[in-house]
Structures are given as C-alpha cells and as structure tokens.
Amino acid sequence: MDVFQALKLLQVNHQPASQRELVVTDPTGKPDATMSALLADVLGKLAIFGDLDNAHSPEELINQLHAVTPLPSDVLAEYDKILTQRLEHINFATHKQIIELVYHPFV
C-alpha cells in the first residue's frame, strides 16, 4: 500500500482524514517532519484544487493540480513522491488523536 491508497481508504467519522490527523512516521514511530509537512501541503492543495474521490492514481491527482495551479514541476514531482511512498502499516494513535502512516524503509 502507498500513501495515495491509504488516503483513498482512510475516513474519520465518514469524512476523509484531514491533514491535521495524519503524520508520517518511520517504522519505530518517530515522526518524519519533512514527509509530514509535504503530505500536509499536498492535502491542503487537494482540499482546494483537487478531487481525491475521482482520482484513480497519484498521476491523476498530479494532473489535476497541474491543470489548475501554477505549481512548478519540481513541486509536483515531490507531491508524486509522497503519494507513491510505500507504507509498512497504518497506526491509529488514539492517545495522540492522530493516524500514523508508517513508511516502508528502503533497504
């Protein structure tokens, strides 16, 4: 599973998970600030300019953003990287009130 697939599946109270509820962590549970910030940026842009429900792939989301925003290609390439990031698992950290997207380390 990758981040895009997780975003398509995850709902909180029958609504898509918000950027405030999602954190990207390493397999030990340590938050990755850079990846979390990038994911939050993507989700913020999607909330305004994109349609996750009608996208069937990360490429479709990137194409949506490319069509309606002036975002440069290098930013869109970074968005693609976070959307295609493989996940090891998802952890619901109820005590923190967040959902941790635990990425799969490259070995």
Side-chain angles (χ1 to χ4, degrees):
M1 175 180 283
D2 60 26
V3 170
F4 172 78
Q5 292 165 329
L7 293 175
K8 295 282 285 181
L9 292 174
L10 286 172
Q11 291 190 350
V12 177
N13 296 321
H14 301 283
Q15 296 296 316
S18 75
Q19 63 195 50
R20 293 178 308 278
E21 296 168 313
L22 296 172
V23 176
V24 180
T25 70
D26 71 11
T28 66
K30 179 181 175 190
D32 187 309
T34 302
M35 291 176 74
S36 294
L38 182 57
L39 179 59
D41 191 43
V42 170
L43 292 173
K45 296 293 187 292
L46 288 176
I48 299 168
F49 302 110
D51 185 1
L52 183 61
D53 290 336
N54 289 321
H56 296 90
S57 68
E59 294 79 21
E60 286 185 22
L61 280 180
I62 299 301
N63 288 338
Q64 287 178 18
L65 293 175
H66 179 69
V68 297
T69 68
L71 292 169
S73 297
D74 59 335
V75 171
L76 294 172
E78 290 300 310
Y79 285 7
D80 184 62
K81 284 182 188 177
I82 191 66
L83 290 169
T84 58
Q85 175 64 52
R86 285 190 26 86
L87 297 178
E88 188 170 282
H89 63 272
I90 297 171
N91 181 52
F92 293 87
T94 56
H95 63 284
K96 298 180 196 175
Q97 298 184 338
I98 59 171
I99 301 169
E100 297 174 341
L101 302 179
V102 183
Y103 65 80
H104 183 72
F106 293 105
V107 181

